[in-house]
Amino acid sequence: MRKPTILVAREVFPEVLVKLQQHFEVTSNQDDTIFTPEQLREKLQGKAGVFTTGSERIDAALLAACPELKICANMAVGFNNFDVDAMTAKRVLGTNTPDVLTDTTADFGFALLLAAARRMAESEHFLRAGKWNRWTFDMFAGAEVHGSTLGILGMGRIGQGIAKRGHHGFGMKVVYHNRSRLDAATEAACGASWVSKAELLATSDHLVLVLPYSKEAHHIIGAAELAQMKPTATLVNIARGGIVDDAALAAALRNGTIAAAGLDVYEGEPKVHPDLLALSNVVLSPHIASATIPTRLAMANLAADNLIGYLVRGEPLTPLNPQVLAG
Ligand code: GLV
């Protein structure tokens, strides 16, 4: 019997490609070309599955042009590149890669928090520029992390991982805001208390954003919200670009509305707002919160196993729209 055909839309670990080739006729992209929507549509002709990353948009127009497509397996926990409703309407399954990146991403959120609060990037640039010629009592004095108040907006798996690090590792008071409140046992394990969004903004010394992107979450942190934060506060975004109004954030960092920020994601990335690039009180990283080799390999394997699970056995591991499976 002919193997199903799939497209792997970006470069992947060679061993993951070999695994996929055992089950599928694979069109790969080890040159790592970023396909335009037209190229993606063309490459997907006749394909039953596609291995995507956040850079491939799967929407109604693409699905209408690719009637044989049955599954899009994203190598990411976030899936705002998928129009899940359009996929469900066309009975195309979507899958993502939850759990395998939780701790790695939470580690990185904490790294950005520490780097921004303790002014690590700014002071390193100063040193490398040969400007360090003496010790002074307040040189690069930053904000205290241990014992301070850690705020978390979005309290899913990664938010809980950050809360645990703050509570158990740094003796922080942890407050969070989320649409749904955690059960008491999970709150206790995280040492976290639910507060309103207004209280979260007003009381956090360090606020970490970990909520998924949605239309409702667009610019959930803008000028009005930044104005409610402490002038000494740190903001960290490891969620998605577009959750923060980057222009408003740059203005707030410039005007001292808040003290510092650590960002891994941006509106319109890989472009970064030029006003952010010009500021020294923001630590900028290129969307690498899950980037360790073991974690990226686990993500790639989970995406591949979703393709194999669904197209070979009819049983994906982490479906986003399981309604497609029923009937
Ligand atoms: C990365 O941003 C992911 O969603 O996995």
Side-chain angles (χ1 to χ4, degrees), residues 315-327:
E315 288 171 9
L317 301 177
T318 50
L320 292 166
N321 49 352
Q323 332 56 312
V324 169
L325 303 171

Side-chain angles (χ1 to χ4, degrees), residues 75-79 97 101 238-240 265 287 290 299:
M75 183 186 149
V77 68
F79 51 91
T97 59
L101 48 52
I238 53 166
R240 271 293 178 272
V265 287
H287 204 144
S290 66
M299 292 165 69

